[in-house]
Amino acid sequence: MKIWILLIFTFFVSFALFFLVLIRIQRKKVVDRRLEVFVPENQSSKKDAEDSPRKSAMREFISSISKLLKGISFSESTKRLLSEAGTLLKPEEYFVLRILICLGAGLISWMIDFNIFLIIGICVLGFMYPQFYMKGKRKKRLNILSYQLIETLGIMSNSLRAGFSFMQAMQLAGKETPEPLGPELERAVRESGLGVPIEEVFESMLKRLPNKELEVVIRAILAQRRSGGNLAELLETMEETIRGRIRVLEELHTLTSQGRMSSWIITLLPVGLGLYLFFLGDGYFTPMLKHPLGWLMLALAAISIVIGWIFIRKIIKVEV
């Protein structure tokens, strides 16, 4: 019993340390992003060249292993996920990373002397974790895009009123807007300068950034370029429309927060109670794991929990 308590304590301490390290890295990224505005480009590139050996050691290791998978074709959904998440990983590198995390999690659980079925479950979770992480990163990246569109449309509208052309306004907005929208606007300007039709440029942008607000803006701009009209006023109208839509979404998010919290509490409460009885119940929970009737009850409980969680999420999900 003491070894389980020690393992749980070690897990929470490790998680806390990992969380603190992530916060420190995130703060450093914010500082570096601000310094890029004031530090000259040659000094910034020199600094990056000095720091790159330390930062890319793991990347080079993964790349060297992924060369063995060069001939393997990966699904379009994986390529689209990596593109929408804004990561620099190639599909083969991403697959190697998932394999390494799976093997590492399995090795650690084997060294702790877990049950074979528990080791298999941990390996599966280790293999699936990068997928969940990339989906969360994609969702966060696309949510930020909606807020960036408001400022970007304002910049472009003011630039057009000041006498800039549409491409000059988009280039200025790309320089003033951070990732993810800023680099995409600059890329669109470069592609258009190379002779790519603006329709194809915007369509490829939508594939990399599948956002409803961005799609509405692009469709409106393309329609205006075909039919004519005051583009500055159109951008101002789109800015107000998106601002109102985001306001409604934020209010809806606040109103459904109680339902989301209830879904997590109702889902995790029986799991937490079961773990408590297993570790501190002095054998009270053991028959559930050794008798076929206990296995059936646990399976039915797990299915009921999942079904309840799905129903609650469906109820609180409102399309706007």
Side-chain angles (χ1 to χ4, degrees):
M1 186 62 62
K2 293 182 179 180
I3 186 65
W4 285 105
I5 297 176
L6 180 61
L7 288 175
I8 294 174
F9 176 75
T10 305
F11 172 77
F12 281 109
V13 171
S14 303
F15 181 82
L17 292 176
F18 179 69
F19 183 74
L20 293 176
V21 171
L22 283 181
I23 292 178
R24 188 176 183 86
I25 293 174
Q26 186 65 28
R27 288 178 179 175
K28 187 176 184 302
K29 286 183 179 180
V30 174
V31 173
D32 292 341
R33 193 181 300 118
R34 292 180 178 178
L35 286 175
E36 287 178 358
V37 180
F38 302 99
V39 179
E41 185 177 357
N42 55 356
Q43 296 183 12
S44 177
S45 60
K46 182 178 179 181
K47 182 179 181 297
D48 293 339
E50 293 174 354
D51 294 344
S52 58
R54 291 179 297 175
K55 294 181 178 180
S56 60
M58 181 60 69
R59 175 73 184 275
E60 291 178 358
F61 173 71
I62 295 176
S63 299
S64 61
I65 300 177
S66 64
K67 291 179 181 178
L68 302 174
L69 306 175
K70 278 290 185 180
I72 300 178
S73 59
F74 294 88
S75 62
E76 290 296 328
S77 60
T78 301
K79 297 178 182 179
R80 186 169 60 251
L81 175 62
L82 296 177
S83 175
E84 294 172 1
T87 180
L88 299 177
L89 289 174
K90 300 177 182 178
E92 57 269 15
E93 295 175 350
Y94 175 63
F95 182 76
V96 170
L97 179 62
R98 297 180 68 181
I99 293 295
L100 291 177
I101 295 177
C102 173
L103 295 178
L107 179 61
I108 293 175
S109 58
W110 176 76
M111 293 174 62
I112 300 176
D113 198 18
F114 281 166
N115 186 283
I116 182 63
F117 297 105
L118 188 58
I119 294 176
I120 294 175
I122 292 175
C123 289
V124 173
L125 289 177
F127 185 77
M128 295 302 297
Y129 172 74
Q131 189 82 357
F132 297 143
Y133 175 78
M134 286 298 174
K135 288 182 178 180
K137 186 176 181 181
R138 176 183 62 181
K139 182 179 180 181
K140 182 179 179 181
R141 187 168 181 259
L142 296 180
N143 287 339
I144 293 175
L145 177 63
S146 300
Y147 293 92
Q148 287 183 335
L149 266 177
I150 298 175
E151 303 297 331
T152 301
L153 292 175
I155 293 174
M156 293 180 64
S157 175
N158 293 333
S159 301
L160 291 172
R161 292 186 183 279
F164 283 51
S165 66
F166 175 70
M167 285 300 169
Q168 289 175 336
M170 192 160 61
Q171 185 177 16
L172 177 62
K175 292 180 179 179
E176 297 293 332
T177 308
E179 214 276 336
L181 185 57
E184 289 294 337
L185 291 176
E186 292 181 338
R187 178 176 177 176
V189 172
R190 290 195 302 268
E191 291 179 353
S192 179
L194 293 174
V196 181
I198 191 65
E199 290 81 4
E200 296 182 9
V201 171
F202 282 150
E203 288 295 335
S204 60
M205 182 190 296
L206 273 179
K207 291 181 180 179
R208 295 188 297 270
L209 297 175
N211 181 274
K212 291 183 179 180
E213 287 79 14
L214 179 61
E215 182 178 2
V216 171
V217 171
I218 288 178
R219 301 302 179 199
I221 291 175
L222 292 178
Q224 188 276 338
R225 290 176 67 87
R226 289 192 295 266
S227 60
N230 193 331
L231 183 57
E233 291 184 1
L234 174 64
L235 295 179
E236 284 184 354
T237 304
M238 297 302 301
E239 177 186 358
E240 294 298 326
T241 303
I242 295 175
R243 194 187 300 274
R245 174 181 168 84
I246 291 178
R247 188 183 302 114
V248 172
L249 288 175
E250 290 178 346
E251 293 177 357
L252 184 62
H253 187 269
T254 302
L255 294 174
T256 57
S257 59
Q258 182 179 358
R260 291 195 310 274
M261 182 62 67
S262 300
S263 68
W264 287 109
I265 293 176
I266 294 174
T267 303
L268 297 179
L269 186 59
V271 178
L273 181 59
L275 293 175
Y276 174 80
L277 293 176
F278 177 75
F279 291 117
L280 303 177
D282 294 331
Y284 182 79
F285 197 78
T286 306
M288 297 289 290
L289 302 175
K290 293 184 177 180
H291 196 277
L293 182 60
W295 300 343
L296 178 61
M297 294 175 65
L298 289 177
L300 292 176
I303 294 173
S304 301
I305 290 173
V306 173
I307 293 176
W309 184 81
I310 292 175
F311 270 100
I312 295 176
R313 301 298 294 187
K314 288 289 185 181
I315 291 173
I316 64 176
K317 185 177 181 181
V318 181
E319 294 290 341
V320 178

